[in-house]
Amino acid sequence: MKIGAWILWTAVAMAFGVVVLAGYFVEWQTLLELRLLFMRWAILLSATALLLGILNLLAAHLHKVNLQESGWPYSALLIIILLGTLVLGLVFGPDNRVVLSLFEYIQLPVEATLMALLAVSLAAAGVRMVMRRRDVYSLIFISTALLVLLGTAPWPFGGAGLSATFGWLRNWLAQVWAAGAARGIVLGVALGAVTTGLRVLLGADRPYGD
Amino acid sequence: MTFDWVGLAILLAFVLLLLLFAVVGRRWPAAFRRLPAYEGLSAAIERAVEAGERVHVSLGTGSVIGPESAPAMAGLAVLSKVAAATVMSDRPAVASTADGAMAILAQDTLRSAHARVGAADRYQPTAGRMLGATPYSYAAGIPVVLATEGVSVHILTGSFGAEGALVADFGERRHAFVIAGSDDVHAQALLHATADYPLIGEEVFAGGAYLNVGVFHGASLRAQDVIRVLVILAILAGTLLRTLGIGL
């Protein structure tokens, strides 16, 4: 029974995957429509999975509150706000001013704060990297970052000549070295993504479980 | 009906190379270059298990139905291996993501790993969870997971944007063993600075091969290398022809 189920899931995944993949290489109206239909199903399933993900999140935090594990008040706060937002959204609709305000005045500022924190974290991480990994790659990394910073930041003194020199250096680094290296990296990532997809398609990787 | 013959030929070449190296790999296993990140991972997991600490696998902020799902799929192979190694410990591995469908796949992977070692009863559905629906809300949830779960090995293998740097940095602040890779070039640069063991380029897809998840993972790296050499030769030939004024 277990072996049968495993074969069935793999066959379904392979069949759907082959149809969607073939749609990229074969221009045939029926195939294109089938691919579009499957993609729409995938979007619907993904939306349903989002709901399940939220329920899972709720279950994890309820468990923490029940056991009064460390940090449980934060979990309780999350549950209250999650349910509160859900009720407000269901009662007033997602376009209501109150619901939109929750995003505008709570979610957006918090996310913007995290983005700002990123700049500080990166500066600290740069220093930490130099302290911990004293190799030639770290030296190149930090030197390049400093040169790009000098070429981008405004110069309050030193004249236009210095600014233009660092600006030219920044462009040279970004457009020649960085762009060339990035293309090589993107090529490697693309090849890795293709083989990962093919492993799933061939049934060698079964992310949907055994 | 029209066919993209070039695309089909490349795809077929990929499939044939994958199958060929999967067969050949059983008799002649591939020797891979050293990658400190994966070399140190097994020892770090052993230390975590012995110390009663936890391994956390972050599958990124990408969606299952987008192109950014590929590194997370590769991450699921790593999760499967890590889960199998920690399943009998006091604190089995946990996984997190910012996508609901990916959270379900993580749960399936963890459940399968538990079942494979005969410990299905120890599986907790909340071990694979969605922390937030947006990249930064996901990042905001990470410090809580790291602190409350007692994480000492923090593996980032999925699609991350700039928020990946924060996710890695939260692990570094806890002095955890942090491996971090993404498919995004800009995120890779940030992870190089924030993580102790950054994964560059296709290294994020190589976890399965280095952790011996299966013969197809080693075959994937070999197939990629062959296609990469062919692509490089094609680029060089194109450059030479264009320099000589011969149009294609």
Side-chain angles (χ1 to χ4, degrees):
Chain A
M1 181 68 189
K2 193 165 171 55
I3 293 172
W6 167 78
I7 291 173
L8 179 67
W9 302 141
T10 309
V12 168
M14 285 169 77
F16 278 76
V18 164
V19 169
V20 173
L21 186 65
Y24 287 99
F25 298 104
V26 182
E27 207 168 303
W28 181 33
Q29 197 54 35
T30 312
L31 194 65
L32 291 176
E33 282 170 10
L34 210 55
R35 192 187 77 180
L36 201 65
L37 178 73
F38 288 166
M39 291 306 287
R40 282 183 185 149
W41 286 1
I43 291 167
L44 277 175
L45 286 171
S46 186
T48 313
L50 176 69
L51 197 63
L52 290 174
I54 290 169
L55 287 175
N56 175 261
L57 181 74
L58 199 61
H61 286 276
L62 273 172
H63 183 72
K64 274 179 73 174
V65 173
N66 276 343
L67 297 178
Q68 300 217 333
E69 287 178 6
S70 134
W72 72 267
Y74 297 111
S75 296
L77 194 65
L78 183 137
I79 292 166
I80 292 165
I81 292 175
L82 197 153
L83 293 177
T85 311
L86 183 70
V87 169
L88 283 173
L90 288 174
V91 173
F92 297 113
D95 295 330
N96 182 267
R97 210 161 57 85
V98 179
V99 179
L100 289 176
S101 297
L102 283 172
F103 287 96
E104 200 175 336
Y105 298 117
I106 298 175
Q107 176 131 7
L108 285 181
V110 168
E111 295 204 359
T113 308
L114 277 169
M115 250 193 268
L117 186 68
L118 186 63
V120 181
S121 291
L122 281 176
V127 174
R128 201 171 53 221
M129 188 180 78
V130 173
M131 303 293 280
R132 283 193 198 170
R133 276 188 271 154
R134 290 185 184 174
D135 54 19
V136 68
Y137 298 112
S138 298
L139 186 70
I140 293 171
F141 188 89
I142 289 293
S143 309
T144 309
L146 284 174
L147 283 172
V148 169
L149 206 61
L150 288 171
T152 309
W155 283 77
F157 50 82
L162 206 57
S163 175
T165 307
F166 277 110
W168 176 85
L169 199 61
R170 187 194 79 98
N171 289 341
W172 181 67
L173 282 170
Q175 289 164 11
V176 180
W177 292 93
R183 282 173 193 168
I185 287 173
V186 168
L187 179 66
V189 168
L191 293 175
V194 170
T195 50
T196 303
L198 285 177
R199 278 203 310 271
V200 176
L201 210 58
L202 293 171
D205 275 7
R206 291 183 293 278
Y208 34 86
D210 290 339
Chain B
M1 193 191 313
T2 52
F3 293 89
D4 177 359
W5 291 111
V6 178
L8 278 171
I10 294 171
L11 185 70
L12 191 66
F14 249 121
V15 173
L16 290 176
L17 283 169
L18 207 56
L19 294 173
L20 172 74
F21 285 125
V23 173
V24 169
R26 292 181 201 275
R27 187 174 279 238
W28 294 288
F32 301 122
R33 69 184 166 89
R34 285 188 64 239
L35 268 183
Y38 293 123
E39 278 180 358
L41 182 61
S42 298
I45 291 173
E46 276 174 28
R47 276 198 303 274
V49 168
E50 281 173 17
E53 291 164 336
R54 217 185 276 275
V55 180
H56 171 244
V57 179
S58 170
L59 296 168
T61 53
S63 150
V64 165
I65 54 171
E68 68 276 10
S69 65
M73 292 288 176
L76 287 173
V78 173
L79 174 65
S80 149
K81 193 74 179 178
V82 168
T86 60
V87 74
M88 296 311 285
S89 70
D90 293 340
R91 293 183 148 186
V94 291
S96 67
T97 169
D99 182 59
M102 193 57 80
I104 292 172
L105 293 183
Q107 287 163 15
D108 275 345
T109 304
L110 288 166
R111 196 182 55 215
S112 298
H114 280 70
R116 268 200 301 274
V117 295
D121 55 319
R122 289 174 62 83
Y123 166 69
Q124 295 282 332
T126 51
R129 68 188 76 152
M130 188 183 96
L131 293 184
T134 62
Y136 279 94
S137 65
Y138 171 76
I142 285 290
V144 181
V145 172
L146 298 184
T148 57
E149 302 286 357
V151 171
S152 66
V153 179
H154 186 38
I155 305 168
L156 283 73
T157 169
S159 184
F160 292 93
E163 77 285 350
L166 276 178
V167 176
D169 194 52
F170 290 141
E172 289 289 343
R173 281 167 196 272
R174 285 186 54 82
H175 306 290
F177 179 91
V178 181
I179 292 183
S182 172
D183 59 337
D184 183 81
V185 179
H186 300 102
Q188 284 178 27
L190 301 178
L191 292 173
H192 190 271
T194 46
D196 260 353
Y197 296 95
L199 300 171
I200 304 300
E202 71 278 14
E203 288 172 6
V204 71
F205 297 100
Y210 278 81
L211 300 176
N212 295 318
V213 171
V215 73
F216 269 92
H217 287 264
S220 295
L221 291 197
R222 285 171 147 183
Q224 281 174 53
D225 282 346
V226 172
I227 299 287
R228 191 197 327 273
V229 169
L230 292 176
V231 169
I232 290 169
L233 288 175
I235 290 171
L236 287 175
T239 309
L240 190 68
L241 289 174
R242 188 50 72 89
T243 307
L244 295 172
I246 302 168
L248 290 174

